[in-house]
Coordinates of all heavy atoms in Angstrom, one line a residue:
R1 N 66.1 132.8 135.3 CA 65.4 131.5 135.0 C 66.4 130.5 134.3 O 67.4 131.0 133.7 CB 64.2 131.7 134.1 CG 64.5 132.2 132.7 CD 63.2 132.6 132.0 NE 62.4 131.5 131.7 CZ 61.1 131.6 131.5 NH1 60.5 132.7 131.5 NH2 60.4 130.4 131.2
D2 N 66.2 129.3 134.4 CA 66.9 128.2 133.8 C 66.0 127.3 133.1 O 65.3 126.5 133.8 CB 67.8 127.5 134.7 CG 68.7 126.5 134.2 OD1 68.5 126.0 133.0 OD2 69.7 126.1 134.8
N3 N 65.8 127.4 131.8 CA 64.8 126.7 131.1 C 65.2 125.2 131.1 O 64.3 124.3 131.1 CB 64.6 127.2 129.7 CG 64.0 128.5 129.7 OD1 63.2 128.9 130.6 ND2 64.2 129.2 128.6
A4 N 66.4 124.9 131.1 CA 66.8 123.5 131.2 C 66.4 122.8 132.5 O 66.2 121.5 132.5 CB 68.3 123.3 131.1
K5 N 66.2 123.6 133.5 CA 65.8 123.0 134.8 C 64.4 123.3 135.2 O 63.9 123.0 136.3 CB 66.7 123.5 135.9 CG 68.2 123.0 135.7 CD 69.1 123.5 136.9 CE 70.5 123.0 136.7 NZ 71.3 123.5 137.9
N6 N 63.6 123.9 134.2 CA 62.3 124.3 134.5 C 62.2 125.1 135.8 O 61.2 124.9 136.6 CB 61.4 123.1 134.5 CG 61.0 122.6 133.1 OD1 61.6 123.0 132.1 ND2 60.2 121.5 133.1
S7 N 63.1 126.0 136.0 CA 63.1 126.7 137.3 C 63.3 128.2 137.1 O 63.9 128.7 136.1 CB 64.3 126.2 138.1 OG 64.1 124.9 138.5
V8 N 62.7 128.9 138.1 CA 62.9 130.4 138.1 C 63.5 130.7 139.5 O 63.1 130.0 140.5 CB 61.6 131.1 137.9 CG1 60.5 130.8 138.8 CG2 61.8 132.6 137.8
Y9 N 64.3 131.8 139.6 CA 65.0 132.1 140.8 C 64.7 133.5 141.2 O 64.5 134.4 140.4 CB 66.5 131.8 140.6 CG 66.8 130.5 140.1 CD1 67.1 130.2 138.7 CD2 66.8 129.3 140.9 CE1 67.4 129.0 138.3 CE2 67.1 128.1 140.5 CZ 67.3 127.9 139.1 OH 67.6 126.6 138.7
L10 N 64.9 133.8 142.5 CA 64.8 135.2 143.0 C 66.0 135.4 143.9 O 66.0 134.8 145.0 CB 63.5 135.5 143.6 CG 63.3 137.0 144.0 CD1 63.2 137.8 142.7 CD2 62.0 137.1 144.9
Q11 N 67.0 136.2 143.5 CA 68.1 136.5 144.4 C 67.7 137.9 145.1 O 67.4 138.8 144.5 CB 69.4 136.8 143.6 CG 70.5 137.2 144.4 CD 71.0 136.2 145.4 OE1 71.0 135.0 145.1 NE2 71.3 136.6 146.6
M12 N 67.7 137.8 146.4 CA 67.3 138.9 147.3 C 68.4 139.4 148.1 O 68.9 138.6 148.9 CB 66.1 138.5 148.1 CG 64.9 137.9 147.4 SD 63.5 137.5 148.4 CE 64.2 136.4 149.5
N13 N 68.8 140.6 147.8 CA 69.9 141.3 148.6 C 69.4 142.4 149.4 O 68.3 142.9 149.1 CB 71.0 141.7 147.6 CG 71.7 140.5 146.8 OD1 71.7 139.4 147.4 ND2 72.1 140.8 145.7
S14 N 70.2 142.9 150.3 CA 69.9 144.1 151.1 C 68.4 143.9 151.7 O 67.6 144.9 151.6 CB 70.0 145.3 150.3 OG 71.3 145.5 149.8
L15 N 68.1 142.8 152.2 CA 66.8 142.5 152.7 C 66.4 143.5 153.8 O 67.2 143.9 154.7 CB 66.6 141.1 153.1 CG 66.5 140.1 151.9 CD1 66.8 138.7 152.4 CD2 65.1 140.2 151.4
R16 N 65.1 143.8 153.8 CA 64.5 144.8 154.8 C 63.4 144.0 155.6 O 62.9 143.0 155.2 CB 63.9 145.9 154.1 CG 64.8 146.7 153.2 CD 64.1 147.7 152.3 NE 65.0 148.5 151.5 CZ 64.6 149.3 150.5 NH1 63.3 149.4 150.3 NH2 65.5 149.9 149.7
L17 N 63.1 144.6 156.7 CA 62.0 144.0 157.6 C 60.8 143.8 156.8 O 60.0 142.8 156.9 CB 61.8 144.9 158.8 CG 62.9 145.1 159.8 CD1 62.5 146.1 160.9 CD2 63.4 143.8 160.3
E18 N 60.4 144.8 155.9 CA 59.3 144.8 155.1 C 59.2 143.7 154.0 O 58.1 143.6 153.4 CB 58.9 146.2 154.6 CG 60.0 146.7 153.8 CD 60.9 147.7 154.5 OE1 61.2 147.4 155.7 OE2 61.3 148.7 153.9
D19 N 60.3 143.1 153.8 CA 60.4 142.0 152.8 C 59.8 140.7 153.4 O 59.7 139.7 152.7 CB 61.8 141.7 152.3 CG 62.3 143.0 151.5 OD1 61.5 143.5 150.7 OD2 63.5 143.3 151.7
T20 N 59.6 140.7 154.7 CA 59.1 139.4 155.4 C 57.7 139.0 154.7 O 56.8 139.9 154.7 CB 58.9 139.7 156.9 OG1 60.2 139.9 157.4 CG2 58.2 138.5 157.5
A21 N 57.6 137.8 154.3 CA 56.4 137.4 153.6 C 56.6 135.9 153.2 O 57.7 135.4 153.2 CB 56.1 138.2 152.4
V22 N 55.5 135.3 152.7 CA 55.6 134.0 152.1 C 55.7 134.3 150.6 O 54.9 135.1 150.0 CB 54.4 133.1 152.3 CG1 54.5 131.8 151.6 CG2 54.2 132.9 153.8
Y23 N 56.7 133.8 149.9 CA 57.0 134.0 148.5 C 56.5 132.9 147.7 O 56.8 131.7 148.0 CB 58.5 134.3 148.4 CG 58.9 135.7 148.8 CD1 59.0 135.9 150.1 CD2 59.3 136.6 147.9 CE1 59.4 137.2 150.6 CE2 59.6 137.9 148.3 CZ 59.7 138.2 149.6 OH 60.0 139.5 150.1
Y24 N 55.9 133.2 146.6 CA 55.3 132.2 145.7 C 55.8 132.5 144.2 O 56.0 133.7 143.9 CB 53.8 132.3 145.7 CG 53.1 132.1 147.0 CD1 52.9 133.1 147.8 CD2 52.6 130.9 147.4 CE1 52.3 133.0 149.1 CE2 52.0 130.6 148.6 CZ 51.8 131.8 149.4 OH 51.2 131.6 150.6
C25 N 55.8 131.5 143.4 CA 56.0 131.7 142.0 C 54.7 131.3 141.3 O 53.9 130.6 141.8 CB 57.2 131.0 141.4 SG 56.9 129.2 141.5
N26 N 54.5 132.0 140.1 CA 53.3 131.7 139.3 C 53.4 132.4 138.0 O 54.4 133.1 137.7 CB 52.0 132.1 140.0 CG 50.8 131.3 139.6 OD1 50.5 131.1 138.4 ND2 50.0 130.9 140.6
H27 N 52.5 132.1 137.1 CA 52.4 132.8 135.8 C 52.0 134.3 136.2 O 51.4 134.6 137.2 CB 51.3 132.2 135.0 CG 51.3 132.8 133.6 ND1 50.5 133.9 133.2 CD2 52.0 132.4 132.5 CE1 50.7 134.1 132.0 NE2 51.6 133.3 131.5
P28 N 52.4 135.3 135.4 CA 52.1 136.7 135.6 C 50.6 136.9 135.8 O 50.1 137.8 136.4 CB 52.7 137.5 134.5 CG 53.9 136.7 134.0 CD 53.4 135.2 134.3
S29 N 49.8 136.1 135.2 CA 48.3 136.2 135.3 C 47.8 135.4 136.6 O 46.6 135.4 136.8 CB 47.7 135.5 134.1 OG 47.8 134.2 134.0
A30 N 48.7 134.8 137.3 CA 48.3 134.0 138.5 C 47.4 132.9 138.1 O 46.4 132.6 138.9 CB 47.9 134.9 139.6
A31 N 47.5 132.4 136.9 CA 46.5 131.4 136.4 C 46.6 130.0 136.9 O 45.7 129.3 136.9 CB 46.5 131.4 134.8
W32 N 47.8 129.7 137.4 CA 48.0 128.3 137.9 C 47.7 128.1 139.4 O 47.7 129.1 140.1 CB 49.5 128.0 137.6 CG 49.8 128.0 136.1 CD1 49.0 127.7 135.1 CD2 51.1 128.4 135.6 NE1 49.6 128.0 133.9 CE2 50.9 128.4 134.1 CE3 52.3 128.8 136.0 CZ2 51.9 128.7 133.2 CZ3 53.3 129.1 135.2 CH2 53.2 129.1 133.8

């Protein structure tokens, strides 16, 4: 994360076929 940019990141390496999906960010409670 970079709090100065109000951003969170996900670096994904060694990707597999089963990683295919739509990716979302949210609070851990999925409240937003």
Side-chain angles (χ1 to χ4, degrees):
R1 64 190 297 159
D2 185 340
N3 291 337
K5 295 183 178 179
N6 284 4
S7 293
V8 61
Y9 307 99
L10 188 67
Q11 177 65 41
M12 305 186 296
N13 299 327
S14 302
L15 282 161
R16 304 170 180 170
L17 298 176
E18 56 265 35
D19 295 319
T20 294
V22 179
Y23 284 72
Y24 303 86
C25 63
N26 207 313
H27 189 271
S29 67
W32 300 325

